[in-house]
Amino acid sequence: MAVLPPGVSQRTLDAALAEWRSAIGSEWVFTSDEDIYGYRDSYSILWGTDEERIPSAALAPASVEQVQQAVRIANKHKVPIYPVSTGRNLSYGGPSPNVRGTVVLDLKRMNRILKVDDTRNFCLVEPGVTYFDLYNYIQERGLKVMIDLPDPGWGSPVGNSLDHGVGYTWGPFRDHFVSHCAMEVVLPNGELLRTGMGGMSNADTWQDYKYGTGPSTDGLFGQGNFGVVTKMGFWMMPMPEAYLRGMVYAPKFADVIALVKTVNFLEDQGIIGMPNYGSPARTAALPFNKPADPDLLALMANGYPSVEQVDAYVAKKGVPAWSVQLQFYGPRKTVEANWEYAQAKMREAIPGATFDGVYRTDLPVPKERLDEVVLRHMGIPALEIFNIVSRNESHGENPPDGHNNCVAIVPRTGESLMTFSKAVIEGMRAVGDMRPWSPFTTPATWHPRTFLCGPSVFTQRNDPESNARNKRLYESLVDTYAKYGWVDYRCTHAFQDRVVSKYDFNNHALMRFHELLKDAVDPNGIISPGRYGIYPRSMRRTRA
Amino acid sequence: MAVLPPGVSQRTLDAALAEWRSAIGSEWVFTSDEDIYGYRDSYSILWGTDEERIPSAALAPASVEQVQQAVRIANKHKVPIYPVSTGRNLSYGGPSPNVRGTVVLDLKRMNRILKVDDTRNFCLVEPGVTYFDLYNYIQERGLKVMIDLPDPGWGSPVGNSLDHGVGYTWGPFRDHFVSHCAMEVVLPNGELLRTGMGGMSNADTWQDYKYGTGPSTDGLFGQGNFGVVTKMGFWMMPMPEAYLRGMVYAPKFADVIALVKTVNFLEDQGIIGMPNYGSPARTAALPFNKPADPDLLALMANGYPSVEQVDAYVAKKGVPAWSVQLQFYGPRKTVEANWEYAQAKMREAIPGATFDGVYRTDLPVPKERLDEVVLRHMGIPALEIFNIVSRNESHGENPPDGHNNCVAIVPRTGESLMTFSKAVIEGMRAVGDMRPWSPFTTPATWHPRTFLCGPSVFTQRNDPESNARNKRLYESLVDTYAKYGWVDYRCTHAFQDRVVSKYDFNNHALMRFHELLKDAVDPNGIISPGRYGIYPRSMRRTRA
């Protein structure tokens, strides 16, 4: 495949490749079709089209010094590079760059765990370290800290955090960018920057205090393209004594308003870990791997149903409209007291609230009980997530290869959940997607202060027509969300321009500010052009 | 006083003043000596010297639009301005600018509370809003949220957060920059920027989600000079049901190592609020308002004492070396369970640990019990802090007017506390300050993941010699801290250049990066020149 970065000749690319080979070793500079295949995004909705974000080459440096050299060479030849940590960011671009032809800078060889401290409760890691690596390191040494991790566990704490990724345990740790503490970054000119206390050579507080003295620039490097992050620290949770989970059920559709308020009250004072919302009514309406309930189809057939109509449906099905699984981490007596308190608060707020499914275990979870828990809720890396979404058994003979999550930032209220399904249906119907849908939207709660809502859109490498159709669907969802004030918190390359275009305040002041900074920090535009819609001046389209 | 900004002629200043008068009303443009007096820093160690950071004028716009106009006028005439929220940042510069002659942009008239939401638990406020204002607003409406606030309560949440200020309650809220959620900023060119979800005109998640989609630039505006912040959101804690506090005592000097580890373990899983460290041995050694204990003087007379010598001293005094007050917020049964658990953990870690001083109250604190609590620990604004430090009764007939806290970021370990006093004594003795000092350093724990340690240095407007001596002392402390890897997290104008010069990694890469950004965002250098050592190109000294 003859792919080149925009505005870069084969000759220029070859010159850069030659220098990279001499800087980091020719066995770590990849240009063959076979090698490049591994840097394609197997979840790409653009697979096999001219738009697919195929790299022209890939480099895998082994050290910070080699990264600096690689960046300097890129800058000299104005050849764009796209750093990836482990390239496992599936559904969000995987190992592929934003702009076709960009050279992937693969940091997987930089996989040292530099420090795990279980008295100050932090770690310092390189980008190639995976959650499995970190977990094994901690287990081998018997350190008393819990990891907060995303699914699947093969990803990188550094990469996940830099894409504003998320996890599953207690609020202060679930937002992986919030829980990071300071970075080391190779700037586009090859210079090494350490942020926060790392700015002081002899400070031993680099992973304790985020800011240093003066402004903080870490935010630029999350979902940004201002440098190559080569080290990051993360705050960790000391291993709690015990875990308790319990289910709460709310009978009626509008109970979700009081349910969410009560969960927020518990969450925001740290009483619970991640709440897992569910809807027994939705399970009845759209049973897994079976046809939709005919009563649901009738309910949704004549315009969007009223609250009363939905409640009549729920009553007929004889199940609660909503559920939430509450999780508690802490001392044994504390998790019991907190669960008791949560039930009391729920009873106050929701007439007819019911409870069951209480499960208790000491932490860390004893080996013989591991099959009773969701591993990622316990800070244990796993690949169990691949049972769901595009890889589950519901898809028949030609199952999808992947999915792109079209997940929007939605206010943390029951009202917004009651409206969200309406928007999804609008977005689907606008492109002729007539699949059955229910009024029961349940949010992801990875970010402790906001809801994330939205469906997965499937991708299929052997079916370009399906991809084209699903691309239109995704775009329609993005456009429809925006009418309601919602927008994706994160998305794959193919949709980033569209998503960030929704940030329209004061004629896109936020993007114009990002571009101003980009031009200053990376005048040759060599780091990750196009990432989250930020292009260097040379590639910048006129904003409509 | 004929004070002008550097490089600005009287004629240029007059032209700018004329435009400002027409933009915001002449009664809100202050130039008389009497008016300017109010914009001097009464805690300035440079008081009355040629170095004092006296402004040439002050402006008080009433709205965002007026701020934009004021900034555009400043930019047109290249006259620097220094925004202050309420100007109450005492010990850190108060209402005065960093560079003499800079015009103060006083935002106190912008004092609207735009939103307090006690189901999603946030507020949105303008810079002129004080903690008292916010508290009264919440009380009047019976909203069920707790404020985290600094001392004293007359300050501004916006101003405090932007100086990386801190509070007294539960970990996720004590760091006021961490707990902020998104901003509105007038950029140096007068353009209005909203960060995070504010970048989307119709989003209703501006105070729920920090980042938006793409990089985050909020960090630039904390301890920075990249724009004028005109609105900020803050996450708040729902009002907990109950409060419990209890004291822990550790007998020996080296027990501080286990004590700190145990407190960290409790703090980092959210079991406790702010731990208040103390030292009964220090109270015996250096009793308030009385001469130092002769045994202490003997202990410290022949070089820095060994752990054994300190323990012999502690044993002789018959008091515990250390104490920590633990505070618990939450449901009634939870705070009891957590206190019980904390005691068990302390007993495990510290042979001979003892406990007392248990106090319980429901929250909010009933009126009749307000004199039993430290108001700021309960989220209640107060001015009680003025009883301590420079304003207390220990100072005799010519008491100091103010103080400058020389407080360094120190690792959260007992070992660092055991070393810290040595450094302070070194720093004092280097400038001939021979005051008695003890080996018992107790940290401030405002930032939940780091210790802040260090003495207050006094200022006195009627005693320039004392100020000069204390300035040398402060500088000596900064230099001495730096040898140990410690540096001030925040400091008054007079010491900012020196403090940030300690960030020496890779030839001051962090400052060079700040300067690169400064030149891009504020090419005329009109916003707060010199703030935390960042000067515009025109004023930049050659770095030594």
Side-chain angles (χ1 to χ4, degrees), chain A residues 121 175 191-192 199 201-202 211 213-214 223 236 268 333-334 338 340 449 482 488 503-506 512, chain B residues 121 175 191-192 199 201-202 211 213-214 223 236 268 333-334 338 340 449 482 488 503-506 512:
Chain A
N121 305 312
D175 176 336
E191 275 234 61
L192 199 61
S201 308
N202 63 338
Y211 310 127
T213 318
Q223 291 194 357
M236 304 181 81
D268 294 352
K333 287 190 183 170
T334 301
N338 281 337
E340 193 184 303
R449 287 271 179 160
D488 298 53
Y503 287 79
D504 61 342
F505 178 76
N506 185 21
R512 290 185 289 117
Chain B
N121 305 313
D175 176 336
E191 275 234 64
L192 199 61
S201 307
N202 64 338
Y211 311 127
T213 318
Q223 291 194 356
M236 304 180 82
D268 292 352
K333 287 190 183 170
T334 302
N338 281 337
E340 193 184 303
R449 286 272 180 159
D488 298 53
Y503 286 81
D504 61 342
F505 177 76
N506 185 21
R512 289 185 290 116

Side-chain angles (χ1 to χ4, degrees), chain B residues 475-530:
Chain B
E475 290 166 348
S476 178
L477 289 172
V478 170
D479 292 349
T480 312
Y481 291 169
K483 285 189 221 161
Y484 290 81
W486 308 325
V487 65
D488 298 53
Y489 83 113
R490 179 185 185 196
C491 62
T492 195
H493 305 333
F495 305 109
Q496 290 182 2
D497 289 2
R498 191 177 208 96
V499 163
V500 301
S501 77
K502 306 304 181 187
Y503 286 81
D504 61 342
F505 177 76
N506 185 21
N507 187 23
H508 305 266
L510 191 54
M511 176 54 77
R512 289 185 290 116
F513 190 57
H514 293 162
E515 289 173 347
L516 175 81
L517 297 173
K518 176 70 175 174
D519 291 343
V521 175
D522 185 13
N524 291 328
I526 56 149
I527 306 288
S528 305

Side-chain angles (χ1 to χ4, degrees), chain B residues 327-349:
Chain B
Q327 303 184 91
F328 305 84
Y329 303 86
R332 278 181 210 101
K333 287 190 183 170
T334 302
V335 299
E336 297 293 341
N338 281 337
W339 169 232
E340 193 184 303
Y341 182 72
Q343 290 175 85
K345 286 284 151 188
M346 288 291 182
R347 274 191 203 100
E348 272 174 37

